[in-house]
Amino acid sequence: MSDQEIIKSFYFRHACKIFDKNKKIPQEKFAIILEAARLSPSSFGFEPWHFLVVNDMQKREKLLSVTWGAQNILPTASHYVIILARKKPSLLYNSNYITHMLYDVHGFTKEKGEARRAKYKKFQEEDFKLLESERAIFDWACKQCYIALANMMSVAAMLKIDSCAVEGFEMEKIEQIMQDEFSVDTKLFGVAVMAGFGYRLKEPPKKTRQKLKDIVTFLE
Ligand SMILES: Cc1cc2nc3c(=O)[nH]c(=O)nc-3n(C[C@H](O)[C@H](O)[C@H](O)COP(=O)(O)O)c2cc1C
């Protein structure tokens, strides 16, 4: 991809508020978007996320009443993704999930794994004070979900696929739906953010952004 093509793809990406519901993203293209999510970086490499791809239109209908930010997105997106973030019980330094990540995924030796766990314990308890509330650690996991979200949207744009991030939902109500209708264990996961993917129905409005000089300071 040339320098110009990179910037072009960032102009191509916009918050697509309504999709052409007759156009479906080919499976192999959507697989690339998911791969961008999977390969995203995360703090300590603990991947505190799970991706629900909601193809079932009845399930999307359930989301509609509590997702004010996606009234035209939910019914028209080719693919709709809910990014779940892990909660405290599976992110604590001594949880089974962290042990699984250290040994089964990263393949650390016992010595290296325990050194890493000790570092993570200090990070959680002291450096970032993540254990002060359930919300603090959940929000920390959510931050990382947003990295995956950004990568998914950027890669989609490179593939000429439109997208829109969706944060316009009622958190408590959506969690109830996750538990009752989506078989999500809400003790372990909450909704970080959602996103629709598909093909635009109309051209986007002109992009508005601050000037680079107003948001960047070079310290030399
Ligand atoms: C985390 C996040 C959540 C968002 N939530 C919504 C949403 O619920 N509904 C919506 O229509 N747009 C949503 N947006 C889109 C933003 O309003 C949009 O990205 C912003 O106004 C900049 O416009 P652009 O993306 O077209 O450049 C969200 C964007 C982000 C990054």
Side-chain angles (χ1 to χ4, degrees), residues 13-15 17 69 73 146 149 164-168 193 207 209:
R13 192 217 55 78
H14 68 288
K17 311 272 173 175
I73 296 168
Y146 280 68
L149 166 76
C164 188
V166 176
E167 217 176 32
V193 65
K207 213 169 238 347
R209 287 295 188 275

Side-chain angles (χ1 to χ4, degrees), residues 13-205:
R13 192 217 55 78
H14 68 288
C16 186
K17 311 272 173 175
I18 184 164
F19 297 92
D20 181 344
K21 67 175 175 198
N22 299 315
K23 286 195 191 157
K24 292 280 163 245
I25 301 170
Q27 210 187 327
E28 67 276 12
K29 298 286 180 203
F30 193 68
I32 298 171
I33 295 173
L34 287 181
E35 196 62 352
R38 190 178 76 89
L39 295 173
S40 292
S42 58
S43 184
F44 286 84
F46 286 152
E47 306 172 36
W49 47 52
H50 191 87
F51 302 87
L52 288 180
V53 185
V54 190
N55 291 333
D56 180 340
M57 292 311 274
Q58 280 177 342
K59 288 228 178 332
R60 286 200 202 176
E61 184 77 38
K62 298 246 158 69
L63 298 172
L64 207 57
S65 63
V66 294
T67 310
W68 51 265
Q71 289 300 294
N72 292 318
I73 296 168
L74 271 165
T76 62
S78 164
H79 289 68
Y80 195 83
V81 180
I82 300 176
I83 309 184
L84 300 173
R86 284 189 177 270
K87 292 183 177 176
K88 192 173 177 182
S90 62
L91 286 178
L92 264 177
Y93 60 87
N94 57 0
S95 68
N96 290 341
Y97 176 72
I98 295 302
T99 302
H100 162 69
M101 289 305 296
L102 289 171
Y103 296 107
D104 303 332
V105 178
H106 293 302
F108 285 130
T109 60
K110 185 88 182 143
E111 193 189 345
K112 281 220 168 114
E114 290 318 300
R116 192 99 175 130
R117 196 199 298 279
K119 218 172 193 182
Y120 180 52
K121 180 175 190 283
K122 176 180 176 289
F123 173 79
Q124 285 202 318
E125 288 180 340
E126 297 169 32
D127 302 345
F128 267 52
K129 304 210 181 339
L130 295 180
L131 305 185
E132 277 183 348
S133 70
E134 305 277 325
R135 187 66 197 243
I137 193 159
F138 176 66
D139 282 348
W140 173 75
C142 286
K143 285 187 202 175
Q144 292 159 74
C145 292
Y146 280 68
I147 298 174
L149 166 76
N151 283 338
M152 292 170 88
M153 294 197 299
S154 298
V155 164
M158 290 174 201
L159 297 166
K160 299 268 181 300
I161 292 169
D162 291 301
S163 63
C164 188
V166 176
E167 217 176 32
F169 56 83
E170 297 173 55
M171 183 80 87
E172 280 174 20
K173 289 185 183 159
I174 211 113
E175 274 216 22
Q176 199 61 50
I177 293 175
M178 289 298 110
Q179 189 177 301
D180 298 344
E181 318 275 351
F182 285 64
S183 308
V184 171
D185 183 347
T186 53
K187 282 192 220 63
L188 297 183
F189 289 99
V191 176
V193 65
M194 313 191 274
F197 296 88
Y199 296 95
R200 66 189 68 181
L201 197 58
K202 46 190 181 196
E203 284 312 301

